[in-house]
Amino acid sequence: MTDTVAGIEWPMTAATDEATRRVREMVSPLVFHHSRRVFLFGSLHARALGLQPDPELLYLAAMFHDTGLLTPFSDAVQRFELDGADNARKFLLDHGFSDGAADVVWQAVALHTTPGIPGRMGPEIAATTFGVLTDAIGWGLDELDADQVQEITAVHPRGDFKREFLQEFVDGLKNRPETTYGTVNSDVLEHFIPDFRRTSMVERVTGSAWPQ
C-alpha cells in the first residue's frame, strides 16, 4: 500500500499494522474499505477545520468503528457501537496505550452514529464522526477536493456501497433489534424488516409504572 493517499499519511505503527490485519480478517471487504475511507475523509475534514487529531488514535477508531456490527464482542446485549468500542478499548490497552488514549478511541467508536454530539468533542472523536458521515451519507462531500475524493475511492473503492452497507446493518442488528431503541439504527430495521416496530419515547413514558 502507498504511504499517503490524497495527501494523508497512513500512521504506520505496530498497533495500526496489527489493527489493519485484524480488522481485515474480521469484517467484509466492504466494511474494511469503508473504515479506511473514514480515516481519510475524517483526516481531510480535520485539516480543513484546523483540528489536530492524533493520527494513530484516529486510525484505530476508524478501523474499529463498525466491528461490533459484524461480530459482537461481548456477551451483553448492547448497541453494536458499544461492542466495537469495548473491543477497541481492549485492543489499545493490550497494546500498551494509556487509559486516556483508550477512552478517546472508545468514545469515538461509541458515539459515531449519535447525531450532533461527537462533532463538539475532541478532535479524534469529531474527525471519526465526520469521516463516517461523509462516507455513509455524503455529508461535507461537496467541500472536499474532487481529485482527492477520486484518489481515495480509487484506492478503497465503494463498489455497491449503498445496498451492501445497509444489508450489513440488517444482518448485524436483526438478532438484537431491541438495542436499536433511540438510535438511527432502528431506521434500517423499520425499512427492511416487515414485522419490526420501533418503540417510542412516548410509549415508554405513558406505559411506565408511575400512576400519573
Side-chain angles (χ1 to χ4, degrees):
M1 294 183 182
T2 58
D3 293 341
T4 63
V5 175
I8 303 298
E9 186 175 351
W10 297 111
M12 295 181 177
T13 67
T16 61
D17 287 349
E18 173 62 17
T20 301
R21 183 195 64 78
R22 185 177 299 189
V23 173
R24 187 196 291 272
E25 293 175 353
M26 181 186 306
V27 304
S28 66
L30 179 111
V31 171
F32 176 78
H33 288 300
H34 164 61
S35 300
R36 297 267 287 187
R37 292 194 305 269
V38 164
F39 167 75
L40 295 168
F41 287 137
S43 297
L44 289 177
H45 283 301
R47 180 179 293 177
L49 294 169
L51 302 177
Q52 296 183 327
D54 181 302
E56 186 177 30
L57 298 185
L58 175 57
Y59 183 84
L60 293 173
M63 292 308 294
F64 281 102
H65 83 278
D66 271 346
T67 55
L69 188 64
L70 278 296
T71 307
F73 293 104
S74 72
D75 293 329
V77 177
Q78 60 184 3
R79 289 176 56 167
F80 88 88
E81 300 94 332
L82 295 179
D83 280 328
D86 289 347
N87 185 56
R89 188 176 194 280
K90 183 179 185 304
F91 177 89
L92 267 73
L93 293 177
D94 288 347
H95 286 76
F97 287 83
S98 68
D99 286 344
D103 287 344
V104 165
V105 173
W106 188 95
Q107 292 175 65
V109 176
L111 294 172
H112 81 269
T113 63
T114 302
I117 295 174
R120 303 286 291 273
M121 299 180 70
E124 295 84 10
I125 300 166
T128 299
T129 292
F130 294 155
V132 169
L133 290 174
T134 297
D135 203 52
I137 65 172
W139 176 89
L141 188 58
D142 58 345
E143 300 172 8
L144 299 178
D145 181 270
D147 290 338
Q148 290 181 320
V149 173
Q150 184 175 11
E151 185 176 348
I152 289 170
T153 55
V155 174
H156 290 291
R158 289 177 60 84
D160 189 10
F161 181 80
K162 292 180 179 181
R163 182 186 65 81
E164 292 184 14
F165 187 62
L166 289 173
Q167 188 60 51
E168 296 276 7
F169 269 75
V170 174
D171 293 342
L173 300 173
K174 63 186 178 182
N175 293 326
R176 44 178 167 169
E178 67 278 14
T179 66
T180 67
Y181 168 73
T183 77
V184 296
N185 304 322
S186 63
D187 297 342
V188 179
L189 297 190
E190 186 175 55
H191 182 87
F192 288 99
I193 299 181
D195 59 351
F196 175 78
R197 180 180 178 279
R198 72 173 71 211
T199 300
S200 74
M201 176 61 174
V202 174
E203 292 173 324
R204 288 170 68 102
V205 171
T206 59
S208 76
W210 292 102
Q212 69 269 352

